[in-house]
Amino acid sequence: METELSKRLGIEHAIFGFTPFPAVAAAISRAGGMGVLGAVRYSDADELARSLDWMEENTGGRPYGLDVVMPAKKVEGVSEADIEAMIPEGHREYVRQVLAKHGVPELGPDDVSGWRITGWMEQVARNQLDVAFDYPIKLLANALGSPPADVIARAHEHDVLVAALAGSARHAGHHKDAGIDIVVAQGYEAGGHTGEIASMVLVPEVVSAVEGIPVLAAGGIGTGEQVAAGLALGAQGVWLGSVWLTTTQAELPSQVLIDKLLAAGSGDTVRSRALTGKPARQLRTEWTDAWEDPAGPGTLPMPLQGLLVADAVSRIQKYETEPLLGTPVGQIVGQMNSERSVQAVFDDLTRGFERAVDRINRIAGRA
């Protein structure tokens, strides 16, 4: 599973693995792929530095990258407190009602909300980059389109390639104009924030739109056969996220959530604004259903929704409230049926890729 891009980055397989867990990212790199650590949960730059120190010690000298969330346009003079003040009291009351209906206890006096939206704010991302560029990262990915021009220039000064996600050919064209090095064509099937176009349609459209720039196929990919399909569509690699959630190195908050993922089918996800205010694919739960209820107040725009539900998400996770407990995940969840190590996932990807190539060679009369 080697391409021009993988050779350029010094990785054995053109597999780029996004994950919020350092242990998973390091294992992906050790297995011959590119582990990409998600930085959005690191509101404390020192905590990110500790995780990158750990990555340095546990990647075996293999390349790795970082994924940040940074808007291309900057909004000056807006603090988290300013944003909090914009949240209507009716929405706060609705959250209280949903949690009370399911008997979710309050957080204790010493508990800290584990999930905050501050990682989506530009200054937090810039603080993360101040730390990251002190480490030998090889890739900087941005989940909100092209990062600001000065960030792209700074990355290039450090010989770091910049990747940006795109949900349409039009978005991909903007990335090319901005000087992005790699475009991640993320289809509708993906976990987290997605657009409206499925991967089978999106990938070749993006490849055509950014001719000359490497494209990674993303969305609903979790088998070697799907990796082969992505490369056949013109991509130079694949971007996998959801499939790592049920690996033994992942640090999901509870076994209850892991069991829900293992039991879920490909039809058990939904694109919902319940978590961040933008459509994000996640497990369908009574929490996502509550935000679709016509009797409710509806979701708020990003970043208000994320701040509104941050404490609620922490309470649901801490007390393992099964009907409400979910996570961003793509439609590939239907094939995530067992807990495996990251290396075992790579072994399966390699075998599936070889099967697909052999099948095509037989069809073409080459075998």
Side-chain angles (χ1 to χ4, degrees):
M1 295 185 288
E2 193 174 52
T3 66
E4 291 181 14
L5 179 61
S6 66
K7 293 176 183 177
R8 180 180 179 184
L9 286 167
I11 57 178
E12 182 181 356
H13 303 299
I15 305 289
F16 295 73
F18 165 79
T19 174
F21 307 122
V24 176
I28 292 168
S29 290
R30 290 197 306 272
M34 171 72 75
V36 183
L37 179 65
V40 71
R41 69 188 181 93
Y42 292 99
S43 57
D44 182 349
D46 291 337
E47 183 184 0
L48 175 60
R50 288 190 291 272
S51 287
L52 293 177
D53 285 337
W54 189 93
M55 292 279 292
E56 278 292 291
E57 296 169 2
N58 289 275
T59 52
R62 301 291 185 88
Y64 62 92
L66 190 73
D67 181 279
V68 297
V69 179
M70 177 176 283
K73 295 180 180 179
K74 184 174 183 178
V75 179
E76 300 280 2
V78 179
S79 67
E80 183 178 346
D82 294 331
I83 297 172
E84 286 266 16
M86 300 176 189
I87 298 174
E89 179 57 32
H91 281 73
R92 295 186 187 278
E93 176 58 27
Y94 187 66
V95 170
R96 289 191 286 267
Q97 290 174 4
V98 174
L99 296 179
K101 176 182 176 182
H102 292 273
V104 185
E106 297 278 354
L107 292 175
D110 297 325
D111 291 328
V112 177
S113 177
W115 186 85
R116 297 297 288 175
I117 202 68
T118 51
W120 296 84
M121 300 178 73
E122 181 185 353
Q123 189 54 52
V124 174
R126 287 187 176 275
N127 292 341
Q128 293 167 346
L129 294 178
D130 288 340
V131 170
F133 286 132
D134 287 335
Y135 293 82
I137 62 172
K138 297 299 182 184
L139 179 71
L140 175 66
N142 188 44
L144 279 184
S146 302
D150 68 294
V151 172
I152 297 173
R154 188 178 178 191
H156 289 165
E157 288 171 2
H158 287 82
D159 294 323
V160 175
L161 297 183
V162 181
L165 275 66
S168 71
R170 179 174 60 85
H171 292 156
H174 293 327
H175 295 338
K176 181 177 183 179
D177 293 341
I180 293 297
D181 303 295
I182 302 168
V183 175
V184 182
Q186 179 172 273
Y188 173 86
E189 309 94 325
H193 296 111
T194 74
E196 303 282 351
I197 306 172
S199 300
M200 185 64 72
V201 174
L202 178 66
V203 173
E205 287 186 347
V206 170
V207 169
S208 177
V210 299
E211 186 176 359
I213 295 178
V215 172
L216 302 180
I221 300 175
T223 69
E225 288 85 352
Q226 291 169 314
V227 173
L231 299 187
L233 293 171
Q236 286 202 32
V238 293
W239 177 274
L240 277 60
S242 297
V243 73
W244 314 113
L245 290 174
T246 51
T247 57
T248 53
Q249 291 96 335
E251 302 166 24
L252 286 178
S254 74
Q255 188 62 44
V256 174
L257 179 55
I258 294 171
D259 290 342
K260 289 187 74 170
L261 288 169
L262 296 176
S266 57
D268 292 327
T269 68
V270 62
R271 286 172 76 245
S272 169
R273 299 177 183 268
L275 189 60
T276 67
K278 286 192 173 184
R281 187 172 296 284
Q282 54 202 279
L283 276 182
R284 182 174 182 174
T285 65
E286 293 191 29
W287 176 257
T288 60
D289 287 348
W291 289 100
E292 299 298 325
D293 188 340
T299 56
L300 297 169
M302 180 187 279
L304 301 182
Q305 183 72 15
L307 284 171
L308 169 67
V309 306
D311 288 345
V313 170
S314 294
R315 290 166 60 183
I316 292 166
Q317 291 179 346
K318 177 179 179 179
Y319 299 108
E320 299 184 343
T321 310
E322 195 275 342
L324 303 177
L325 189 62
T327 185
V329 69
Q331 291 179 332
I332 194 63
V333 71
Q335 297 190 53
M336 294 159 49
N337 300 319
S338 63
E339 292 186 70
R340 301 173 290 168
S341 68
V342 168
Q343 184 61 60
V345 172
F346 265 84
D347 292 342
D348 288 344
L349 290 171
T350 301
R351 285 191 290 267
F353 181 82
E354 290 173 347
R355 285 194 300 268
V357 172
D358 288 344
R359 187 179 302 123
I360 294 301
N361 281 335
R362 287 196 302 271
I363 292 171
R366 300 191 183 99

